[in-house]
Amino acid sequence: MLGWFLTKAAKIKRAEKKITNMYLMAADRQYYLYDLRDIGTEDAAKALIRRFTCSCENTTVDRDEKERSYQLLVEMGPVAVGPLKQYLKYNDQNVNWPFRALRELMTREQLLEFLIEILESIGPDYVRDPERKEQLLITAKEFKDERVARAIVQYLGDDNETIRFITAEALFVLGFAFAAPDLAARLKDEESQRIKN
């Protein structure tokens, strides 16, 4: 009954608080996930994305709720694209589900352009959690596009060995000749045997 008297902003704030409270009953959190979907604004999408940043002890429930949040964001359609892109631009952790949702909501060319933009903006600088870089570089392999290869070649110099490995693998899969000198130069300085192989 209280919901009738709350403003949309207040409803979103309340729902966000509920879906990120891991001590709340799962059924109650699910109610508020749907509530955010039904509100249907960009602010509601931003709040819904926050569910990906929390984990409850019951891993099955946690996965189900994250899957549900992903599906609800996709159901929200184009209104969720801006908040998802914003989240992925500025967060290194908990990016798998938001990225999956974004893939459902954008055309291949739109996704390619966003991928290039974000890869160029992050760069090979140190990050505490390389999850976002890993996800983006793995996705880059799907695009046989020279623009992607040019955006990822800088990651051959990343501090993280796994990132360098994924980058080298992606460049081989993409197969653009311009990357050969960069790969050869990396061989001289590379300490990781798996990357050399």
Side-chain angles (χ1 to χ4, degrees):
M1 200 66 164
L2 178 64
W4 282 59
F5 303 105
L6 292 175
T7 65
K8 197 174 280 189
K11 285 177 84 172
I12 291 169
K13 189 174 182 177
R14 181 180 68 165
E16 181 179 342
K17 211 173 194 178
K18 300 289 188 182
I19 67 168
T20 56
N21 181 350
M22 297 299 105
Y23 297 104
L24 201 64
M25 295 289 291
D28 292 335
R29 279 195 305 270
Q30 191 167 97
Y31 168 82
Y32 286 103
L33 292 172
Y34 280 97
D35 201 26
L36 286 167
R37 190 270 321 265
D38 293 343
I39 292 170
T41 63
E42 281 197 5
D43 286 336
K46 284 180 193 172
L48 190 50
I49 291 166
R50 292 266 298 126
R51 177 59 187 88
F52 300 124
T53 66
C54 306
S55 296
C56 63
E57 286 183 17
N58 184 326
T59 55
T60 303
V61 169
D62 190 57
R63 179 169 172 75
D64 288 349
E65 287 181 13
K66 287 176 178 170
E67 174 88 29
R68 178 74 51 206
S69 300
Y70 148 75
Q71 290 169 349
L72 294 173
L73 283 161
V74 172
E75 287 175 22
M76 289 177 84
V79 76
V81 171
L84 285 164
K85 287 171 76 172
Q86 193 73 7
Y87 180 84
L88 289 165
K89 280 182 182 178
Y90 300 106
N91 292 277
D92 288 325
Q93 297 177 308
N94 308 304
V95 297
N96 190 31
W97 288 107
F99 195 72
R100 280 184 62 193
L102 195 62
R103 290 175 73 121
E104 295 288 326
L105 293 167
M106 297 175 82
T107 66
R108 188 170 173 80
E109 184 61 28
Q110 289 170 331
L111 186 63
L112 173 63
E113 288 173 9
F114 177 66
L115 186 64
I116 292 166
E117 175 191 338
I118 198 168
L119 282 165
E120 288 175 344
S121 70
I122 298 169
D125 296 333
Y126 171 80
V127 291
R128 196 171 63 80
D129 188 332
E131 179 190 344
R132 176 173 60 157
K133 284 185 187 182
E134 287 181 25
Q135 181 69 46
L136 295 169
L137 289 165
I138 289 167
T139 303
K141 290 191 292 188
E142 299 172 22
F143 294 91
K144 288 281 187 181
D145 192 296
E146 187 174 330
R147 293 172 293 169
V148 168
R150 291 195 181 277
I152 69 171
V153 76
Q154 64 181 317
Y155 291 91
L156 286 171
D158 200 273
D159 287 338
N160 185 290
E161 189 266 356
T162 299
I163 296 300
R164 293 195 309 274
F165 178 78
I166 294 169
T167 302
E169 183 183 49
L171 288 169
F172 276 109
V173 168
L174 293 171
F176 291 101
F178 81 86
D182 293 293
L183 286 163
R186 185 69 223 168
L187 272 176
K188 286 190 282 184
D189 300 325
E190 187 55 60
E191 296 173 2
S192 167
Q193 194 57 48
R194 76 172 176 155
I195 294 174
K196 285 181 179 180
N197 291 341

